[in-house]
Amino acid sequence: IDKNNAFKSEGLIGQTVQLEFKIGKDGSPEDIKVLKVADQKYVQEAIRLLLNGPKWEQPTKENGKMTFKIDF
């Protein structure tokens, strides 16, 4: 995720986006919700990184929801 970040050239600037999502049968994130965001301009990039990243393994929790934090 870090190497595909469009804001990487800006360096670490202290912005965080926290996402919640379910994992589909093919390992792709689904039903993505934003839980925390410091600056709105990073939301679309965080979602893009999540969707274009590697496949996820199915969670062992019953509700199947995952949370993931991306720091910019």
Side-chain angles (χ1 to χ4, degrees), residues 14-71:
Q15 300 292 325
T16 298
V17 176
Q18 187 172 358
L19 304 169
E20 177 184 83
F21 56 95
K22 292 183 179 181
I23 299 173
K25 291 183 181 188
D26 68 347
S28 298
E30 299 177 344
D31 301 324
I32 301 169
K33 295 180 184 165
V34 178
L35 299 179
K36 177 183 173 188
V37 60
D39 190 326
Q40 193 64 34
K41 79 176 192 176
Y42 299 103
V43 171
Q44 291 301 327
E45 177 64 4
I47 292 172
R48 184 190 73 79
L49 289 168
L50 185 67
L51 291 173
N52 292 318
K55 299 295 183 190
W56 292 75
E57 292 182 20
Q58 291 294 324
T60 56
K61 298 188 290 185
E62 267 188 47
N63 69 4
K65 291 183 181 178
M66 302 290 293
T67 58
F68 191 72
K69 179 176 78 166
I70 299 176
D71 294 319

